[in-house]
């Protein structure tokens, strides 16, 4: 998260170029290509890639174990990016949708090894969404 805090746009560019948000086999060029790739990979057809892979493979494995280290890490990264000013980037859309639809609305029904983990998950997701809704400084938001 230090890169996210120091240079949120650069961190988001790196993240969208990584397999987590890139559609399988897709090579993007430029910021708009990265954003389109990130948005396309959220619910892409074919083999599970990007957040679809996360939702189909990682979340079920974490639910079975009752421990959620990767989900919490992703939520903390989303919060760090948003807190540092990356909120307007189109590539944040799939991450925010994942936070709201897959985590915040469903985590209460998940199995937890420790009871306190449920509240940590809720607090982390709520903090990320609060960061998304927080007013941003600048002329465009005046």
């Amino acid at each position: 998260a230090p890169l996210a805090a120091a240079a949120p746009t650069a961190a988001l560019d790196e993240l969208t170029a990584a397999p987590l948000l890139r559609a399988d086999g897709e090579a993007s060029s430029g910021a708009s290509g990265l954003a389109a790739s990130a948005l396309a990979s959220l619910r892409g057809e074919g083999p599970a890639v990007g957040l679809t892979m996360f939702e189909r493979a990682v979340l079920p494995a974490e639910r079975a174990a009752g421990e959620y280290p990767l989900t919490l890490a992703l939520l903390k990264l989303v919060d760090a990016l948003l807190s540092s000013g990356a909120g307007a980037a189109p590539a944040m859309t799939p991450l925010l949708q994942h936070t709201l639809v897959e985590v915040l609305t469903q985590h209460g029904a998940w199995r937890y090894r420790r009871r306190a983990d449920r509240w940590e998950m809720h607090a982390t997701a709520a903090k990320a969404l609060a960061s998304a809704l927080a007013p941003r400084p600048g002329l465009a938001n005046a």
Side-chain angles (χ1 to χ4, degrees):
L3 177 61
T9 304
L12 192 56
D13 287 346
E14 290 293 321
L15 183 63
T16 55
L20 177 65
L21 289 179
R22 186 183 63 229
D24 193 32
E26 199 173 305
S28 329
S29 60
S32 63
L34 288 173
S37 170
L39 294 171
S41 73
L42 182 63
R43 298 280 184 253
E45 296 292 322
V49 295
L51 284 174
T52 301
M53 180 277 305
F54 192 89
E55 292 164 2
R56 290 183 189 167
V58 174
L59 273 176
E62 287 184 332
R63 284 184 196 136
E67 297 179 345
Y68 303 89
L70 295 176
T71 299
L72 283 169
L74 182 62
L75 292 173
K76 289 174 183 177
L77 176 62
V78 168
D79 180 49
L81 288 167
L82 291 168
S83 297
S84 299
M92 289 304 298
T93 300
L95 292 168
L96 287 169
Q97 287 176 333
H98 173 79
T99 301
L100 180 62
V101 175
E102 297 297 327
V103 179
L104 195 59
T105 60
Q106 297 182 24
H107 79 88
W110 296 351
R111 175 181 170 271
Y112 291 90
R113 191 170 288 229
R114 294 178 315 141
R115 193 176 277 184
D117 291 346
R118 177 183 318 263
W119 303 113
E120 180 183 9
M121 181 71 68
H122 182 82
T124 305
K127 186 172 184 244
L129 289 174
S131 294
L133 297 172
R136 302 278 180 250
L139 295 175
N141 297 321

